């Protein structure tokens, strides 16, 4: 049994429903074991800048149903390569020593790091410097290998499914094709789950490059069968079989330009042009990241928070908590970092979708 | 007491939550008075094309909570100037006589027309040809004069407010400016109500041209007071004080290009450029039009449907039903058509918003 | 223009969605006019016990979407007849002087009182002692005369309608009668609105004593028409035409016993016994009072809060703010107190419900 | 590869969100394999009474998001012991032969049975008579062994968690104890999950008999720490350590009497009496069973429906589909029937709840 008197917690990367539930569970579980918890403001940046604050049990009262993170977050700062502004110039420096010194000054002996791939990797680096670190995987995209679910994903799927339910009525009333663009730059989990739940006719994901002709054939076949409308869910990172990624500002080549509603709008325009069926696109964007987490995500996030502290108590470090077959397990952080967590193209879920005649554009 | 044996009903214009509730109330009220109801498919187009179907009470069972319209709708067809395809050419013809003949052939003696400005105007024209017509105002934009509320508006405001609640958590967690673009090409009602309900810091509406410097000053002032995030609601038709309307594809000059997320995206980019604060935009789009109506809209739509039939029973025609001080009243269709129903710039609601320090960018 | 430096605000009576929105608007509007706001804890009790706290604009940040009241509330304490515990005995004393002294000691010159009939009446009494008092009507029951809507009502109707939507699927699948008991001890507004919005077949309200035989006839008639299920909404205060009020513990004669699911359960049992159709009851209870207010209620509550402060600024006192034809108006508190705000039995809304064949059991 | 031309499907037992999603997936998957599907009305009763209807793909269009079952259901009829009314008498007879004859007459060669423990057991009996049968487990209680989740459960937990969120604001505003009684006659899964998700202070489940003194001590301890309110979730089947089960009508001894809000009301009364803290109870009842399924349940139900047909295609029969580690697997029906699927008292989830200081009353 390891003994800690004081541990730290931080949230990094994009906003995600359930972050507060993890923080709350960390603080409550620690308190039950006589451990104090300190929070860092705004991810690793706050650790470098020494923005630390004690988190009492009363600090986390009432935050379970709230979206966002009471600690603030950012997806920018890396202490090992820290951006500094020096006389009109941006320079980068390794300030990991500063970060460790800030922890030591407060007597903080271990760190719970809640974040996505980038944040967990930084956590792993601190682990290699001797700091006991536990990772809690966070991504609404569900694309972290080794865990069946990341928290926030169920909420994102709920928002997307609610949107599909709404678009259905308009599609039916107007005999239109309605395209919904959802998150998923590299992995199509949100598109796949919400497409199944929302009764989509086509689901286009990064893992399965699509053929526009196949999509149009699906729409035309439905109309031939008296179904005058169609619903398409497309992950922001989906791409056509031929040619390259498209986006409103694709010329600039930045991934950001694609985030801004590129693929869905293009798809709707192309479908309308080629099939003659009125087509419209909606880009869900940030709505998928915010707001109160679903009960599923609240429970999962709470279990992760409890498990993270229990890892420290049992002397495990350098690991990430994960969900497997309804149980919380631990995986070595080093084994995870940088590996993709894509939708298996030959997997059950894709096969199930095909069985009920959903088209993947291939 | 006028006597009708058979009346017709149609829905025209864009999808709007509550259309089915009106249809249901029309059918049920008519049935209670021994009147048969026939529906036209897809608005006035179906009337010209003779796509009529009898609507029994059983036909409307279960449709109250459903979005969309079981009759289908379109915002294109005008019998007085009907688009026809003749040998590769599009020609326009007055087919209002055909429409009246179709009604006469089925013994349909009067028409309940559910739609927006354009649809109601066509209804009024048929009224001038002697057909008893009752209009039911439909627009999620709430911009029909003479009625305190149009059905569908409350649902649209709910969707927009829910989006603002979600964006709040991301804005707070990331210290960002979040811009939400909502519907309202000419009237800012959705932006104003959802902005008040969702705790927006700035509300930009078509009726009050905005000064970008005033918006930025608001954001900067909030940051000076420790509020690192700001929430902005912008109606799609809002425009800056100087210069003309902007949009991603403004060069094309079509109003459609602006509908596609123009103003919100531009605003977010400009704010980020000028204030240095990370800014993001979400365009709600069609999500505002679809899905199950709120209870408020279901009740209002039901009352409109009842009142429409009762107008016919009491011999009123050429009128529109409207809500005033919790009562359903009637207004002459001719008095309404073409008049704007804008947000009064000096009105109570804008003043109330200003009283709690909401910025309109002026 | 009256000049105040410091005003107080309190919430009294039962929990109601929108209370926080009023408090927020009072504080923000006051701040904009250079006025400080102090809150009393737990209604008039906190005023007597001198539990006052300053409310800065930052104190009300983020509370707009939250249910409940940050000030706490109670429906017990009346300073003019204050319950005291003296040596195992409960005695009552007039401590209104103490209350006024507490205000004076803090320099609080006027009071915004948010509450129902009882709370507003106490406010009026303080007004007669010379304290400038503005009332903000609060009751989810919507039964305050002179205002078209009280805030919280729309939220309660939403919760009840959502429940009816859910019960519909079970009723249909099981061919059952489902009874939903909603709030409304004296007024049937919630039952009437949610019944209209939720597609109820019978609506039973206190204003229209019901005949069980008429209810059963409706159910039987529906089954004869192939509708094997029926939905009934009953206000907790509805009562049969013959005989007296019934409840599980009616023998005790307390109104409380009726609150505890009396009428709905009895109705379900009686219907099943007399018609042979399986019948079930659900009592919504406190779910109607809690949780995030709907956008409608947030806007209305905000407008009330703004108006209350503006009344003080313009020298009006002893009045209540109210909604009439979309505008906020003021009414003399003295004119309101004790008057009922019942559903007009011959009014439009009941007539509309009858027009679509809803049965009131009469 | 087994070859079927025509299969049947039925739903038995209580209403459950997701039933329609299973039916839809069965029909769509079958259609994709050239198999016709016939539905039986109202469970096994319809099979005996020969109420069969063909289900085309168009029959299941639009039912994915709808609660209930388009086939109707009942929790009464058992063909092996069928209730008959003979001259004022109720007699029971084995009509399983009649049921098989009805299937044979229509050429229906196999059966997908969607239901709970009782329904699956009847399915297994038909399997022993040679009929190929696949079971799809259905219970909102999640208490079927061998599967990590039953569909409908996630929806029930969502409804219960939403209720807890609402009760929280009232509890806080009024400094009350709020008790929520949820479903779970034998298993406490709904109480446990919703209690974790809704921030309950005490969770009382059938698997852990509770000591009222421990519950009261928790409430008192919270008040000593300045938390004047408490939230308790109690499963309808929870029972005190000492004494027997209690209910409003416990004297009658029927399990039904307990379902009707017994334990929660009693608990609230006892807590108020013993601690002096105002306490209120809400019984969720049927609201947990109805309404649109969550996306999680829609996906799970769809996968079950697909898997059921695929089992038949691959020649598996006499089995039940189940979820294990994100995959759909099959289990022998005979192994499942009659076994309990209780919350493991020493399991992870209970331990996690204890870690964040939730009290189980033991």
């Amino acid at each position: 049994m390891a003994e800690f008197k004081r541990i730290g917690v931080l949230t990094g990367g994009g906003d995600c429903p359930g972050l507060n539930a993890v923080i709350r569970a960390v603080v409550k579980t620690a308190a039950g074991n006589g451990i104090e918890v300190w929070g860092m403001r705004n991810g690793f940046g706050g650790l470098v800048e020494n923005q630390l604050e004690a988190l009492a049990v009363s600090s986390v009262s009432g935050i379970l149903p709230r979206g966002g993170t009471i600690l603030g977050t950012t997806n920018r700062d890396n202490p090992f390569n820290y951006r500094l502004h020096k006389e009109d110039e941006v320079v980068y420096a390794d300030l990991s020593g500063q970060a460790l010194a800030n922890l030591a000054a407060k007597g903080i002996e271990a760190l719970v790091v809640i974040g996505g791939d980038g944040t967990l990797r930084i956590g792993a680096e601190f682990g290699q410097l001797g700091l006991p670190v536990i990772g809690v995987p966070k991504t609404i995209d569900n694309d972290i290998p080794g865990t069946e679910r990341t928290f926030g994903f169920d909420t994102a799927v709920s928002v997307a499914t609610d949107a599909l339910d709404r678009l259905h009525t308009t599609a039916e009333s107007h005999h239109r094709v309605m395209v919904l663009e959802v998150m998923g730059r590299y992995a199509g989990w949100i598109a796949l789950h919400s497409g199944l739940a929302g009764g989509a006719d086509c689901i286009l994901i990064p893992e399965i490059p699509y053929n526009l002709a196949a999509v149009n054939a699906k729409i035309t076949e439905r109309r031939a069968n008296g179904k005058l409308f169609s619903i398409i869910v497309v992950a922001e990172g989906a791409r056509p079989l031929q040619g390259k990624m498209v986006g409103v500002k694709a010329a600039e080549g930045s991934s950001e330009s694609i985030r801004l509603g590129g693929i869905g709008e293009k798809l709707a325009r192309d479908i309308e042009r080629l099939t003659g069926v009125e087509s419209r696109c909606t880009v869900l964007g940030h709505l998928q990241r915010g707001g109160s987490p679903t009960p599923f995500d609240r429970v999962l996030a709470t279990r992760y928070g409890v498990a993270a502290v229990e890892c420290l108590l049992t002397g495990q470090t350098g690991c990430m908590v994960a969900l497997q077959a309804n149980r919380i397990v631990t995986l070595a952080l080093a084994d995870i970092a940088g590996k993709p967590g894509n939708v298996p193209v030959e997997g059950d879920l894709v096969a199930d979708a095909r069985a009920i005649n959903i088209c993947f554009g291939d």
Side-chain angles (χ1 to χ4, degrees), chain A residues 70-90:
Chain A
I70 58 168
L71 293 175
T73 186
T74 176
N75 32 20
R76 267 193 304 227
D77 300 320
N78 178 355
F80 293 92
N81 191 28
Y82 201 73
R83 187 168 54 176
L84 294 168
H85 297 268
K86 280 213 174 158
E87 301 164 15
D88 283 1
E89 238 188 322
V90 172

Side-chain angles (χ1 to χ4, degrees), chain A residues 3 25 44 64 69 84 101 103-104 127 187 192 208 234 244 255 294 302 361:
Chain A
E3 298 223 354
F44 281 111
L64 175 60
T69 160
L84 294 168
L103 291 176
L192 181 52
I208 305 178
V234 56
K244 25 180 171 35
S255 70
T294 59
T302 296

Side-chain angles (χ1 to χ4, degrees), chain A residues 5-11 18-40 53-64 69-71 112 114 136 301-310 312-313:
Chain A
K5 289 233 168 61
R6 195 173 285 179
I7 64 174
V9 61
L10 64 78
T11 51
L19 287 169
N20 280 328
V22 181
I23 297 168
R24 173 180 176 267
V26 165
V27 170
K28 287 198 155 198
T29 306
N33 288 282
I35 300 171
E36 248 182 53
V37 180
W38 282 62
M40 341 264 114
E53 55 181 308
L55 293 175
V57 170
S58 64
S59 312
V60 298
S61 177
I63 69 172
L64 175 60
T69 160
I70 58 168
L71 293 175
V112 175
I114 313 166
V136 177
T302 296
R303 295 183 73 185
Y304 278 163
V306 170
V309 175
E310 289 181 345
L312 289 174
L313 289 172

Side-chain angles (χ1 to χ4, degrees), chain A residues 91-117:
Chain A
V91 297
Y92 290 86
D94 181 349
L95 295 187
S96 56
Q98 178 67 49
L100 289 171
N102 290 341
L103 291 176
K106 287 284 194 302
I108 298 170
E109 303 151 307
L111 206 54
V112 175
V113 167
I114 313 166
D117 196 59

Side-chain angles (χ1 to χ4, degrees), chain A residues 51-313:
Chain A
Q51 296 171 331
L52 314 185
E53 55 181 308
L55 293 175
V57 170
S58 64
S59 312
V60 298
S61 177
I63 69 172
L64 175 60
R66 304 230 185 110
T69 160
I70 58 168
L71 293 175
T73 186
T74 176
N75 32 20
R76 267 193 304 227
D77 300 320
N78 178 355
F80 293 92
N81 191 28
Y82 201 73
R83 187 168 54 176
L84 294 168
H85 297 268
K86 280 213 174 158
E87 301 164 15
D88 283 1
E89 238 188 322
V90 172
V91 297
Y92 290 86
D94 181 349
L95 295 187
S96 56
Q98 178 67 49
L100 289 171
N102 290 341
L103 291 176
K106 287 284 194 302
I108 298 170
E109 303 151 307
L111 206 54
V112 175
V113 167
I114 313 166
D117 196 59
T119 304
L120 294 183
R121 209 176 306 154
I122 297 169
E125 284 190 65
F126 275 111
Q128 281 151 18
L129 298 183
L131 183 71
V133 170
I134 304 291
V136 177
K138 170 218 69 79
T139 158
I140 63 161
D141 287 342
N142 199 39
D143 61 348
I144 290 186
T147 187
E148 282 169 27
R149 281 286 185 287
T150 52
F151 68 87
F153 174 70
D154 190 66
T155 305
V157 170
S158 282
V159 171
T161 303
D162 180 67
L164 287 170
D165 285 353
R166 291 186 180 280
L167 296 179
H168 247 101
T169 75
T170 298
E172 268 188 271
S173 300
H174 283 281
H175 318 308
R176 275 181 189 161
V177 172
M178 297 299 272
V179 175
L180 180 71
E181 182 184 312
V182 300
M183 283 184 171
R185 214 169 291 189
Y186 309 110
W189 292 110
I190 293 178
L192 181 52
H193 277 255
S194 65
L196 275 162
D201 302 300
C202 297
I203 300 176
L204 307 180
I205 59 177
E207 292 87 347
I208 305 178
Y210 68 87
N211 191 330
L212 187 56
V215 174
N216 289 340
K218 174 75 179 180
I219 293 164
T220 308
E221 173 208 312
R222 280 176 55 83
R223 291 177 74 88
N225 293 330
K227 291 286 189 181
L228 304 181
F229 70 96
S230 292
I231 302 284
I232 297 174
V233 188
V234 56
E236 58 185 335
R239 60 193 189 284
L241 200 52
Q242 313 90 340
K244 25 180 171 35
M245 192 77 169
V246 287
V248 166
K249 304 191 302 171
E252 295 176 22
S254 79
S255 70
E256 190 70 353
S257 68
I258 288 153
R259 197 183 52 77
L260 299 174
I263 190 70
E265 286 292 353
K266 165 139 180 63
L267 201 58
R269 276 199 305 270
D270 287 349
I271 289 169
E272 179 161 332
R273 183 168 47 82
L274 293 167
T275 65
V277 183
E278 201 177 33
S279 303
R280 293 281 183 275
C281 171
T282 299
V283 181
L284 258 193
H286 292 90
L287 301 182
Q288 295 160 88
R289 302 197 159 281
S292 185
T294 59
F296 183 99
D297 280 338
R298 296 188 200 177
V299 172
L300 180 58
T302 296
R303 295 183 73 185
Y304 278 163
V306 170
V309 175
E310 289 181 345
C311 280
L312 289 174
L313 289 172

